Amino acid sequence: MIKILPNCIGCGKCVPVCPFGALSLENRKAVVNSACTLCGACVSVCPVKALQMPQTAAASADISSYKGVWVFVEVIEEKGALKNRPVSLELLTKGRELATELKEELCAVIIGGNNSALYAELSAYGADKIYSVEGPAYTDYNTAAYANAMIALINKYKPSIVLYPSTYTGRDLAPRIAAQIHVGLTADCTGLSIKGQNLVQTRPAFGGNIMADILCPGHRPQMATVRPNVMGRKVVSAGKMAQVIMEVVPVTAEAGKVRIISKEMEATAEVEKLDEAQIIISGGRGLKTAENFNLLNAIATELGGAVGASRAAIDAGWKPKNHQVGQSGVTVKPKLYMACGISGAVQHIVGMENSEVIIAINKDGSAPIFNVCKYGIVGDLHQILPKVLEAIKDSKK
Ligand code: FAD
Ligand code: SF4
Ligand code: SF4
């Protein structure tokens, strides 16, 4: 809650300013109740500076001592080999831009069983330094162990900015770190830039109706998660090798309590991971039944792509949640995105509008999906899709 200092003169100016009704006057002094969200809106209206945001350790530390842009590198296993998850390379590309503007270093932080094969690519994507934490205890992702390692490094080196992928791992890890080091975290950013010495974290707000720019001028590090496929990817220093700094972080007793008993891969061989697929055939409420998705599955299999869905189709139980494309699902950027029976609500569009080629099939010629597609077919998908499948099969003969 906001702190009210004894010099309050009871002028009442702060009371109507609070959007949450958390302030009132009692015995000619301001009092605050538990509705306070620490939004800070009241602080500047007090004529005697009697309202104070609580200071955390990180806030009160000298923020000028925090330097450098860090990227937490997520590693995945593919066909038995470890690789940097593509979103990590997207974050390094954006991190390079930010670090250059700040005239600071770009550092990749990689935690795992054996990281050495991954350094060259991180260097090519612009990392000046790589902090590497290795050991058998880090082979599999473990929230407590990874958070503990990140916190140890953050406290030791004091980065100004730390970026995480907005994946299952990043979404699990980043909030735990933020809570433990008492800093904020902006989730699912769609844009990052620098203003002065601060990170401008842009993300959709109020159901995607506005874009909010979020700054954390009083706390370090500034931390954000970014979805896959939102930022571009660019090799900037091919052949250059970053300085690798090996760090030893003992695993805590809490982390040691977690044991991985078995691992199961979610994506089957024929259905690629949605956020990395180059071809996506997506279905919406217009498909009418779960069985009709079989047609989309068949087209995706023929083309070597993945199947996506709108939230309406997910809510209807026609596809599992991890197939959802959009604001509250996955952001995709394939070469081809085919939207079948999807109206094109803004929450869907934000998740697929960066696709190279969008094809829409909808029986309603005024559906908003036609505003973002390159090729549009107005008609009944139940008649069109079997012909599309047939044509693809014919073209292979
Ligand atoms: P509808 O809007 O009902 O559209 C169905 C379309 O199918 C219509 O255009 C219709 O003309 C067409 N159609 C029907 N029959 C046929 C046929 N036989 N042949 C051809 N076309 C046909 N949505 C998402 O998709 N992803 C998200 O991540 C997401 N996040 C959200 C987050 C929030 C906070 C909120 C409030 C909403 C979110 N939504 C999301 C929901 C979104 O607002 C829409 O409700 C949803 O995208 C609609 O799905 P749809 O296009 O399949 O269904
Ligand atoms: Fe109200 Fe925000 Fe002030 Fe808290 S910080 S009392 S929520 S205006
Ligand atoms: Fe007290 Fe400041 Fe609020 Fe006036 S504006 S009531 S002085 S806290």
Side-chain angles (χ1 to χ4, degrees):
M1 283 190 285
I2 195 96
K3 201 169 163 192
I4 298 166
L5 302 179
N7 62 323
C8 165
I9 53 172
C11 71
K13 283 186 180 161
C14 56
V15 175
V17 172
C18 177
F20 303 98
L23 288 166
S24 58
L25 285 184
E26 270 177 30
N27 301 326
R28 295 209 197 136
K29 290 274 183 196
V31 287
V32 60
N33 64 39
S34 59
C36 173
T37 63
L38 285 175
C39 72
C42 58
V43 174
S44 62
V45 301
C46 178
V48 294
K49 296 192 170 28
L51 294 165
Q52 200 181 65
M53 296 286 273
Q55 297 289 301
T56 63
S60 56
D62 176 10
I63 62 167
S64 66
S65 64
Y66 286 74
K67 292 260 182 290
V69 178
W70 281 21
V71 170
F72 168 77
V73 176
E74 184 172 341
V75 176
I76 48 169
E77 203 179 310
E78 206 173 79
K79 297 181 184 123
L82 293 179
K83 76 171 222 190
N84 296 308
R85 193 160 186 176
V87 61
S88 307
L89 307 176
E90 291 162 18
L91 292 184
L92 281 172
T93 304
K94 176 47 83 174
R96 183 67 268 163
E97 265 176 57
L98 301 174
T100 303
E101 191 164 348
L102 286 166
K103 298 188 178 55
E104 293 178 4
E105 283 176 334
L106 173 66
C107 306
V109 185
I110 184 162
I111 304 172
N114 186 347
N115 304 328
S116 55
L118 305 164
Y119 300 152
E121 191 175 39
L122 303 177
S123 308
Y125 278 85
D128 298 307
K129 281 184 183 158
I130 297 169
Y131 294 109
S132 178
V133 180
E134 270 187 356
Y138 293 109
T139 301
D140 291 309
Y141 174 72
N142 170 329
T143 311
Y146 274 48
N148 180 52
M150 283 297 289
I151 291 167
L153 298 189
I154 288 171
N155 287 336
K156 182 171 173 184
Y157 292 104
K158 299 191 178 348
S160 171
I161 294 170
V162 187
L163 306 178
Y164 303 83
S166 191
T167 54
Y168 287 122
T169 298
R171 285 174 178 175
D172 179 59
L173 180 68
R176 177 177 280 237
I177 296 168
Q180 288 192 30
I181 61 172
H182 304 293
V183 298
L185 174 71
T186 309
D188 288 350
C189 292
T190 53
L192 295 170
S193 57
I194 300 293
K195 190 175 183 184
Q197 288 301 107
N198 291 312
L199 179 68
V200 182
Q201 302 159 98
T202 306
R203 56 150 299 150
F206 296 107
N209 291 322
I210 62 160
M211 296 304 280
D213 283 347
I214 297 162
L215 283 90
C216 302
H219 293 73
R220 292 294 184 270
Q222 305 154 93
M223 305 218 301
T225 67
V226 180
R227 284 173 172 226
N229 296 314
V230 172
M231 311 283 176
R233 230 190 298 166
K234 193 169 154 199
V235 170
V236 287
S237 17
K240 191 197 104 178
M241 194 61 191
Q243 181 189 358
V244 179
I245 299 160
M246 301 303 296
E247 290 286 338
V248 178
V249 184
V251 174
T252 56
E254 187 198 357
K257 285 181 194 158
V258 178
R259 278 187 304 123
I260 310 285
I261 295 163
S262 73
K263 286 196 271 183
E264 280 173 39
M265 297 306 286
E266 212 174 60
T268 57
E270 73 277 12
V271 180
E272 277 183 79
K273 268 206 172 69
L274 201 57
D275 58 7
E276 287 160 27
Q278 293 301 302
I279 295 174
I280 296 174
I281 315 296
S282 243
R285 206 192 313 260
L287 258 85
K288 306 273 191 309
T289 64
E291 289 67 43
N292 286 334
F293 264 91
N294 291 337
L295 203 48
L296 302 194
N297 294 342
I299 295 173
T301 305
E302 284 295 328
L303 296 176
V307 175
S310 72
R311 177 151 141 188
I314 302 289
D315 289 348
W318 301 340
K319 274 278 160 193
K321 169 81 182 158
N322 57 357
H323 287 254
Q324 184 180 319
V325 173
Q327 184 189 313
S328 47
V330 180
T331 305
V332 298
K333 202 178 180 181
K335 287 195 161 60
L336 172 68
Y337 188 88
M338 198 160 143
C340 312
I342 294 176
S343 59
V346 63
Q347 295 88 355
H348 188 82
I349 300 289
V350 294
M352 44 65 84
E353 64 189 337
N354 291 330
S355 307
E356 242 169 73
V357 174
I358 298 170
I359 300 176
I361 304 174
N362 198 304
K363 67 176 185 184
D364 173 7
S366 64
I369 192 75
F370 290 122
N371 298 334
V372 295
C373 72
K374 182 157 185 180
Y375 302 104
I377 305 170
V378 180
D380 184 348
L381 63 87
H382 304 290
Q383 290 172 9
I384 296 164
L385 286 177
K387 290 183 183 154
V388 171
L389 180 60
E390 209 179 291
I392 295 168
K393 283 182 173 166
D394 284 350
S395 72
K396 289 183 171 178
K397 281 178 189 162

